[in-house]
Structure formats: structure tokens, C-alpha cells
């Protein structure tokens, strides 16, 4: 695995060199003039130093923290992804959807009603409604609203329900967050795979049972369901419920389906340790900068999108489980039963810091985190890192903040907002006075032109021309787009 990672990193590095030559040649063909001496590479040492120091500064100030929490997970990428890397697909009812790793389309837009038997009550049952039958394996409770009259007879009692697969009792709990009008008004609680359930479990001190692993397979310990792909397990769970006479009905249901914008995978919610950046304070300042006129966004109608994202901003999950990127400069240090995460520029510095924290300076083990940072973290530093920040103060002072930032409207939050928040956190200033957002060239189907879709035209093809045969050869397996043009 280590060899594969190094080989992949080498290919990425070689790709950078090749891409730089191609880009330089094309820009010269267009007779464009640049300050070539200022050319930079995101992974060069100056940028790496800026990223490391930014992380350490923010971590030391408590703005970056590590937490075991529920994250958006792409099983296809085997990595956490941020909220803005998710496309929400409206599903009006039962429909088949392509999911990476499955030969057949997976049906979504169904609501399954399942009966939980009440222990001690021979003919009593509570029916829950769910769009995710496969996660029943990890149910730890059933919840109802305390004012739901349908369940008034259970008030003041310690009610236990029988879990049909784990063959253990789980509690019936009352919580005001339950929607009385959803399904039967009773909901299954699976803290390890649902955002609302995760929060409810915290309030009621419920345990977590992880059902799905990083690859989207059912974890070990669940009998015949173990090692099945999650959506294959869904069908088997429904079949088993029917055999146990616990499946009450399956009915059409409109829903919002979260999909990974990069892989097309259906987003899974998994509890994983990750690094987070606190964003609320900087987000509010970014909002105020636009409202006060300190930061101007053109066209002005994009201000509404700016406010929508930043006024509802949550902490940013900045760690990624991939090979290529800026490795997180944090070290896990243990001494006896105590564990501390220490951010440092080097292993030697981490050891020195750890010795000052642990009694008698005793360190049993120390290792660097293998995760890398979200690419938008390093990109977010560019308005000042390109001038040598945190060094080279004369040049930073001369050119920063910028007068104008020009970029595509599709990355207003991905990049522009992150640049603004990180600049406010690290320099105390907004990074530019004005943002100019340009349009996006789309194909005949209204989709953004991109290499991943196979519908892109290369700049040299626009300059020199290209045949349809050339385009199909260039896009290879992704050439289906061109077959219908």
C-alpha cells in the first residue's frame, strides 16, 4: 500500500510537470503576458510552509480541532467530503439510480414500514418508517414525540422493543425533535448513520453501532448481512423482515438524495475522527464585509448566494483520506493512558512540545497523521501565500490585499468564501476588495464542460481545430457524449 501511494504521488508530480509545459505553451500561443517569475505550484516548498504554519496557528488558537463526529463520506472515494461537495437530487418517487460499484440501478424513493415488537406485550407493536432499511442493523432505539397521542399509553413506562436481527432489547424514547406527521410518527434511531439520530443520541446518551464501513460494505458481526454491499444488504434486510412477518408495507416517497459531486456516489454518513475548522465568527465577518461594501461582489445578484452559504455556515471538515495533498502537520502523542494531538513543523518539534506537556517528559509513542488537507484549505491561502506569507513581509504588505479576484461563479463558496474566511483568521483583513464572477461554458445538455464528463474542449483544439475522431480518442471511455452530438 505504501508503494502504491508513492507511485501514485510520483504520477501526480509528473502530471504537474507535463501540465505546466502544456499550459505555458498555450498561454504563449495566445500572446498573453505574465510575471512568469511569480509562477508557483501548490505543492512547492513555499506553499507547503504556508499551509503548515497556517494549520499550526489555527490549531494553537483552538480554531482547528479534532473530533469523532458524523461526516459526509464517499464510499467510492473512501474519503470524507464537505457539505458543498454534495449535489442534492430530488427523487419524487421510486426510481432507479446509477451508483458506482453496482451493475444495476438502485431504487430510491421508497418508504418501508417495519414493525418492532413490544416486549411483555404479546400483540403490541410499534411501526417505524424508513428510507434506509439496511441501517436497521444499527438501530439502538425507537423515538416518538412526547405529545403524539398515538403513543400516549406508553408515557411514564420503561418500554423495551425487540431488535429482530441483533436479538436484543432497545428502548422506546420520547423526543420533541420527532416529526409526528412523518410516516407513523415513530422513527428508528441509528446514530452512526444519520445526522438527526446522531444529535438525538447525544441528548439521550445512546450507544453507537457502526453498520457500514469505509468501502460501503456491511461490517463484520451482522451475520448473513456482513460483507454485503450496503444497497444489496437493503434488499436482503427487507426479505428477512418479510420472512419474520415484520415488514408491513413499502410505499412511494419523495426524498432528497445526497450525491458526491466528484464520484456520483450516494453519500453515506459515518462516524469518523476528522479535523475541523471553526468558521462561524469569520463567516459572520465575511457577511458584514459585503453588507458594508468593504467587499464588492459582481454581479450583485450573487450576493444572495454568499449570504445563504455564510449565514448557515457550519464547521468545515478539512481532513481527507487520500494520498495526494498537503499532509496534516499533526502528531498523535501518547504517554501512559494520556493522548495529545500536537501540531508542529517537524517530528523533532512535536517531541519537544510533547515533553513539555506530559509529566516528566515521558513519551511512549508518537506518529504523524496520515490524512491530508482539503485542497480548498491550501487554495484558500493563495491571496497572501503567493507573496511568501508568513515570511517576506515587505512584499505581502505591498500587494496584499488584492484589488480584484476574478473566478467562476460555481466556486463562489468553494474558493472565494474560504479565501475570505482564512484571510480574516490569519491576517485580520479581507483578501480582496472586489470579486468578479464570470460565466461557465456549458454543453448542449446544459452541463459544465469538464474532463470528467468527457465533454471538454482543450485550448489547443480551439486554436488549431479538431476532428470528431480526435475528440472521441481524447476522451476514451467518456466519449459517449460525442456520439450524440
Amino acid at each position: 500500500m505504501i508503494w502504491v501511494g508513492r507511485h501514485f504521488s510520483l504520477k501526480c508530480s509528473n502530471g504537474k510537470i507535463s501540465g505546466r509545459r502544456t499550459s505555458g505553451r498555450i498561454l504563449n500561443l495566445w500572446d498573453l503576458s505574465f510575471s512568469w517569475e511569480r509562477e508557483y505550484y501548490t505543492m512547492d516548498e513555499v506553499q507547503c510552509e504556508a499551509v503548515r504554519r497556517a494549520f499550526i496557528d489555527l490549531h494553537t488558537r483552538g480554531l482547528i480541532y479534532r473530533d469523532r463526529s458524523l461526516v459526509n463520506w464517499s464510499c467510492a472515494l473512501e474519503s470524507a467530503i464537505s457539505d458543498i461537495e454534495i449535489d442534492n437530487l430530488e427523487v419524487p418517487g421510486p426510481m432507479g439510480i446509477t451508483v458506482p460499484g453496482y451493475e444495476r440501478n438502485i431504487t430510491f424513493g421508497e418508504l418501508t414500514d417495519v414493525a418492532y415488537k413490544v416486549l411483555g406485550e404479546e400483540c403490541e407493536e410499534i411501526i417505524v418508517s424508513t428510507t434506509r432499511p439496511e441501517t436497521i442493523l444499527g438501530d439502538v432505539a425507537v423515538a416518538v414525540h412526547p405529545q403524539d397521542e398515538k403513543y400516549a399509553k406508553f408515557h411514564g413506562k420503561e418500554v423495551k422493543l425487540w431488535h429482530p436481527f441483533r436479538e436484543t432489547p432497545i428502548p422506546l424514547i420520547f423526543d420533541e425533535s420527532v416529526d409526528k406527521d412523518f410516516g407513523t410518527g415513530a422513527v428508528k434511531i441509528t446514530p452512526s448513520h444519520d445526522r438527526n439520530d446522531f444529535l438525538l443520541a447525544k441528548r439521550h446518551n445512546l450507544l453507537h453501532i457502526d453498520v457500514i464501513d469505509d468501502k460501503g460494505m456491511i461490517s463484520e458481526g451482522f451475520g448473513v448481512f456482513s460483507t454485503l454491499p450496503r444497497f444489496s444488504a437493503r434488499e436482503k434486510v427487507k426479505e428477512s423482515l418479510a420472512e419474520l412477518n415484520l415488514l408491513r408495507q413499502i410505499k412511494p416517497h419523495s426524498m432528497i438524495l445526497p450525491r458526491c459531486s466528484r464520484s456520483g456516489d450516494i453519500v453515506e454518513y459515518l462516524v469518523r475522527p476528522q479535523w475541523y475548522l471553526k468558521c462561524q465568527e469569520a463567516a459572520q465577518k465575511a457577511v458584514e464585509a459585503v453588507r458594508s461594501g468593504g467587499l464588492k461582489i459582481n454581479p450583485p445578484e450573487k450576493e444572495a448566494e454568499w449570504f445563504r452559504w455564510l449565514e448557515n455556515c457550519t464547521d468545515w471538515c478539512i481532513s481527507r483520506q487520500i494520498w495526494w495533498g498537503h499532509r496534516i502537520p499533526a502528531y498523535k502523542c501518547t504517554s501512559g493512558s494520556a493522548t495529545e494531538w500536537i501540531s508542529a513543523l517537524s517530528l523533532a518539534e512535536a517531541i519537544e512540545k510533547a515533553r513539555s506537556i506530559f509529566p516528566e517528559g515521558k513519551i511512549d509513542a508518537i506518529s504523524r497523521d496520515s490524512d491530508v488537507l482539503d485542497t480548498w484549505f491550501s487554495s484558500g491561502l493563495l491571496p497572501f501565500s503567493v507573496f511568501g506569507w508568513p515570511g517576506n513581509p515587505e512584499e505581502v504588505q505591498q500587494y496584499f490585499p488584492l484589488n480584484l479576484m476574478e473566478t467562476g461563479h460555481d466556486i463562489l463558496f468553494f474558493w472565494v468564501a474560504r479565501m475570505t474566511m482564512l484571510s480574516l483568521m490569519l491576517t485580520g483583513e479581507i483578501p480582496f476588495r472586489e470579486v468578479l464572477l464570470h460565466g461557465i461554458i456549458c454543453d448542449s445538455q446544459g452541463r459544465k464542460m469538464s474532463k470528467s464528463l468527457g465533454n471538454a474542449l482543450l485550448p489547443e483544439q480551439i486554436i488549431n481545430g479538431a476532428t470528431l475522431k480526435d475528440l472521441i480518442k481524447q476522451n476514451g471511455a467518456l466519449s459517449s457524449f460525442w456520439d450524440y452530438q
Side-chain angles (χ1 to χ4, degrees):
M1 186 63 72
I2 293 175
W3 180 86
V4 172
R6 288 175 177 169
H7 182 65
F8 177 77
S9 296
L10 180 61
K11 287 185 74 68
C12 288
S13 183
N14 290 338
K16 181 271 293 189
I17 296 170
S18 174
R20 184 256 171 266
R21 289 172 180 161
T22 301
S23 298
R25 187 181 71 253
I26 292 169
L27 292 172
N28 283 322
L29 282 173
W30 284 345
D31 289 331
L32 296 175
S33 177
F34 294 96
S35 299
W36 290 105
E37 70 277 5
R38 292 188 177 277
E39 184 180 19
Y40 72 90
Y41 170 45
T42 316
M43 298 286 285
D44 65 30
E45 184 50 36
V46 173
Q47 296 300 315
C48 288
E49 177 74 2
V51 169
R52 288 191 292 264
R53 290 193 178 275
F55 183 97
I56 293 168
D57 182 2
L58 296 170
H59 182 234
T60 302
R61 291 159 53 193
L63 292 173
I64 286 179
Y65 65 96
R66 187 174 174 85
D67 190 24
R68 183 174 171 81
S69 186
L70 204 66
V71 299
N72 306 314
W73 189 268
S74 169
C75 298
L77 299 177
E78 293 185 46
S79 177
I81 60 174
S82 66
D83 289 345
I84 62 172
E85 293 174 285
I86 295 175
D87 295 328
N88 289 314
L89 175 66
E90 291 188 21
V91 180
M95 61 183 293
I97 294 174
T98 301
V99 179
Y102 293 83
E103 293 181 358
R104 297 180 180 178
N105 287 353
I106 306 300
T107 300
F108 295 92
E110 293 182 335
L111 196 63
T112 302
D113 286 353
V114 179
Y116 267 105
K117 295 294 184 180
V118 179
L119 285 177
E121 302 286 343
E122 186 175 344
C123 299
E124 197 74 59
E125 67 182 28
I126 293 179
I127 299 175
V128 300
S129 301
T130 179
T131 59
R132 303 207 55 197
E134 67 277 12
T135 63
I136 285 176
L137 300 170
D139 285 0
V140 298
V142 169
V144 297
H145 195 283
Q147 295 178 0
D148 194 333
E149 292 301 322
K150 297 190 294 294
Y151 305 102
K153 61 184 174 183
F154 297 119
H155 280 226
K157 299 179 181 178
E158 185 179 346
V159 180
K160 297 290 185 180
L161 311 173
W162 186 247
H163 194 286
F165 299 122
R166 299 203 310 273
E167 297 185 336
T168 57
I170 62 174
L172 174 69
I173 61 177
F174 297 87
D175 193 279
E176 292 184 350
S177 68
V178 177
D179 182 357
K180 293 184 289 185
D181 299 322
F182 176 77
T184 63
V187 294
K188 57 192 281 306
I189 304 302
T190 319
S192 290
H193 301 288
D194 182 273
R195 288 194 181 280
N196 294 327
D197 294 359
F198 182 84
L199 297 174
L200 188 146
K202 277 190 173 182
R203 294 195 294 272
H204 294 269
N205 197 29
L206 300 173
L207 76 160
H208 288 246
I209 297 177
D210 297 341
V211 175
I212 299 166
D213 67 15
D214 293 355
K215 297 179 183 294
M217 314 294 282
I218 302 300
S219 303
E220 295 291 345
F222 293 101
V224 296
F225 305 106
S226 293
T227 73
L228 286 176
R230 53 184 167 153
F231 297 124
S232 300
R234 172 180 294 185
E235 298 308 312
K236 192 164 186 64
V237 165
K238 289 191 289 188
E239 291 172 5
S240 299
L241 288 169
E243 292 171 2
L244 293 169
N245 196 30
L246 297 175
L247 182 64
R248 293 296 174 259
Q249 67 172 327
I250 300 173
K251 53 191 176 186
H253 176 68
S254 61
M255 61 185 294
I256 301 296
L257 193 65
R259 302 189 77 175
C260 172
S261 62
R262 288 191 286 156
S263 66
D265 194 15
I266 305 303
V267 173
E268 192 57 66
Y269 299 108
L270 302 181
V271 178
R272 294 291 183 271
Q274 301 287 338
W275 292 96
Y276 294 87
L277 176 64
K278 295 179 182 179
C279 294
Q280 286 77 9
E281 183 178 345
Q284 186 56 42
K285 290 180 180 178
V287 167
E288 292 169 0
V290 173
R291 292 198 188 279
S292 67
L295 174 58
K296 186 178 181 181
I297 295 178
N298 278 312
E301 54 264 29
K302 290 298 179 180
E303 289 182 3
E305 186 177 343
W306 181 265
F307 297 141
R308 178 173 62 85
W309 276 110
L310 291 173
E311 288 176 342
N312 298 284
C313 190
T314 58
D315 289 355
W316 173 15
C317 177
I318 58 174
S319 47
R320 296 291 182 270
Q321 293 67 49
I322 54 180
W323 283 318
W324 184 249
H326 289 274
R327 191 173 175 185
I328 292 175
Y331 297 79
K332 183 179 182 181
C333 307
T334 58
S335 178
S337 60
T339 299
E340 292 284 347
W341 279 95
I342 294 171
S343 55
L345 292 171
S346 64
L347 175 61
E349 183 180 303
I351 293 173
E352 183 180 345
K353 287 184 176 181
R355 283 175 176 160
S356 68
I357 294 174
F358 293 126
E360 301 178 358
K362 180 177 177 292
I363 304 172
D364 294 327
I366 184 169
S367 60
R368 186 172 178 178
D369 195 343
S370 60
D371 287 356
V372 302
L373 287 162
D374 181 357
T375 186
W376 297 107
F377 184 90
S378 55
S379 298
L381 305 178
L382 288 176
F384 43 96
S385 66
V386 290
F387 301 119
W389 182 94
N392 203 9
E394 295 83 6
E395 188 149 300
V396 173
Q397 186 174 6
Q398 181 179 355
Y399 294 109
F400 179 83
L402 309 176
N403 292 322
L404 176 70
M405 167 56 64
E406 184 272 338
T407 188
H409 69 77
D410 57 326
I411 53 175
L412 176 61
F413 190 79
F414 275 105
W415 193 29
V416 181
R418 264 74 177 275
M419 284 190 285
T420 304
M421 288 191 290
L422 284 169
S423 179
L424 287 165
M425 291 178 189
L426 294 165
T427 73
E429 297 189 66
I430 56 173
F432 22 73
R433 304 306 180 197
E434 185 175 357
V435 177
L436 176 61
L437 301 170
H438 63 66
I440 301 297
I441 298 176
C442 298
D443 64 19
S444 60
Q445 300 175 31
R447 302 178 302 175
K448 175 182 174 181
M449 299 185 78
S450 71
K451 287 180 287 185
S452 60
L453 288 176
N455 63 353
L457 293 171
L458 299 177
E460 57 264 43
Q461 292 170 340
I462 297 174
I463 296 171
N464 302 319
T467 66
L468 180 59
K469 183 178 180 181
D470 291 335
L471 295 173
I472 292 174
K473 181 179 179 181
Q474 166 198 310
N475 289 282
L478 297 172
S479 63
S480 58
F481 169 81
W482 301 102
D483 295 340
Y484 301 98
Q485 304 310 303

